[in-house]
Amino acid sequence: MSTAPMSNSNPSIDAPSLRSRHPLGHLPAVRNGLLALFDQARDLGPVVELRMAHTTITVISSPSAVHHMLVKNAGQYAKTTRGYQILRLLLGNGLVTAMGDDWRQHRRIANPAFRREAVAGFVDTMADSTQAWLDSLPSKPGSVPIAQAMHRLTLEIAGKTLLSRDLSARGDTIGEALETVLPGFASLSRSILPHPWRWPLPATRRFMRGVRTLDKVTYEIIRERRADTRNHPDLLGMLMLATDPETGTAMSDQQLRDEVLTMLLAGHETTANAMAWTLHLLAKHPDTAEAVHAEVTQVVGTGKITAAHVGQLDLTGRVFDESLRLFPPIWVHARQAKQADVIDGVSIPKGRIVFIHTFGMHRHPDLWDAPERFDPDRFLPSRRAAIVNGAYHPFSMGQRKCIGDRFARTEGIVLLAAMVRSLRFVSVPGSVVVPEPALTLRPMGGLPLRVSRRD
Ligand code: HEM
């Protein structure tokens, strides 16, 4: 661990630039591997410029720059990038995409649903849903499409905990819609056209088809809740009771739709990928899987996992933390500079799109010993203190930090503990697992793993 935070004070210099002779700059290289391209930028310096066709972007990879952009000077960096413009077509003005007073008001309404006591109350559902999934597996060893299984399971948990709704019957519909929306998002965000979603391109049509399906499901959920006379003290209940402090009016169906869809997607797409990557790592590191098994047997035994166990499952939690380091589901953070600025002594012009290369920083040789090695012990309290502030940020930092970080880590621990206690996971021989960087970091090919029961 070496990089000390640098100062952001003047005088500034122009950013070093990753050169390209192609008339479109680095845009064609994106198709061959965005992670590799951003890694090249990271290796050139902490603040580096890349030309993508007619646009210049800045890639940043230093902890002090991350802190500057997400915490210290967060107000000067807006969610107005192309990615957020496309995301707004999907999520409208929900908590992830909202800005300014809208965002502040909605965050205040949603906060209670994510407090410690509320999340502790979700552990029972997390454990029950995981047990039901374990029971549904065939008794003989076989290959399981892990990414899809984790998506269905985490969607079910998000539905039951946040909306008091069993969404398992809608899992396939939502899953298929996401299979349409996510590749559409990737094509639109990398298109050479300035506003590709305004054109009837195949990618636009595909993306909007998925949006319409998700719209339909979300409005159904809201209609069903309005017709339900019981009191549900969940996130949806809080949203429905909330009123505008100035006008006194409740949220419209459209506003509820944006928040519900945001929570469903933010609350399951990320954790599903985190779980899939963690099981992949345990399949590659059977010694660690056995150590997790020993911990769960000692802490929980054969009974049900409860909220009281979560804090004691120390290694299990560190395995999850290390998985988020190696495979952060949100692998990049993008913002647009509202004003000219200076980051790490380098000039950032007004309007510049800046990407924090989270994936590359989590594996930066200047920030981590043996960065490519899977080593959950780097999160032991004695070693955690050496991690430079800003070097590790799977849930982002500052005021726009993930509202669901406690929910996600609790869910990760409960699901992992229950799964490793019952199952062994082995990689399919000859399979190569490649991370696919789009809206989230998904394992290409769905990550089939061989699964066998321990008993
Ligand atoms: C491992 C799992 C998770 C990861 C890695 C993750 C990561 C993140 C990151 C990086 C952000 C910032 C995004 C941005 O700047 O646009 C974020 C925001 C957010 N996340 Fe998560 N998240 C996870 C789980 C969850 C869960 C379980 C929920 C809800 C149940 C959730 C709800 C949200 C919401 C609503 C926001 C927007 C917060 C705001 O701007 O005020 N996330 N998440």
Side-chain angles (χ1 to χ4, degrees), residues 97-131:
T97 40
M99 293 189 287
D101 288 345
D102 265 359
W103 166 75
R104 250 180 291 283
Q105 191 195 342
H106 287 203
R107 178 106 186 185
R108 245 194 324 269
I109 296 166
N111 265 335
F114 296 96
R115 292 210 179 109
R116 190 178 299 279
E117 321 79 67
V119 172
F122 298 152
V123 169
D124 220 34
T125 304
M126 292 169 178
D128 284 345
S129 295
T130 312
Q131 192 56 50

Side-chain angles (χ1 to χ4, degrees), residues 159-219:
K160 284 185 176 166
T161 53
L162 303 174
L163 314 174
S164 308
R165 213 76 218 124
D166 185 350
L167 297 177
S168 36
R170 288 157 167 149
D172 285 346
T173 312
I174 295 176
E176 280 158 26
L178 280 181
E179 295 303 328
T180 316
V181 162
L182 296 183
F185 177 90
S187 313
L188 292 174
S189 56
R190 290 162 201 182
S191 165
I192 187 174
L193 296 169
H195 301 285
W197 53 92
R198 292 187 186 155
W199 302 88
L201 307 168
T204 310
R205 283 206 293 265
R206 209 168 45 216
F207 182 82
M208 292 314 293
R209 201 167 49 242
V211 173
R212 279 194 297 276
T213 306
L214 292 170
D215 246 359
K216 190 164 164 281
V217 174
T218 315
Y219 279 122

Side-chain angles (χ1 to χ4, degrees), residues 69 78-81 83-84 332-336 353-356:
M69 226 177 98
K79 290 188 166 191
T80 45
T81 62
Y84 283 108
V332 74
H333 290 74
R335 296 286 191 271
Q336 185 167 26
I353 306 292
V354 186
F355 288 94
I356 296 172

Side-chain angles (χ1 to χ4, degrees), residues 79 84 95-96 103 107 114 162 262-263 266-267 270-271 274 320 324 329-330 333 335 394-396 399-404 407-408 411:
K79 290 188 166 191
Y84 283 108
L95 201 53
V96 169
W103 166 75
R107 178 106 186 185
F114 296 96
L162 303 174
T262 294
M263 288 297 173
T270 45
T271 41
F320 192 66
L324 292 180
I330 304 296
H333 290 74
R335 296 286 191 271
F395 295 106
S396 185
Q399 56 177 4
R400 299 303 299 253
K401 186 177 181 224
C402 177
I403 198 172
F407 182 120
E411 186 176 16

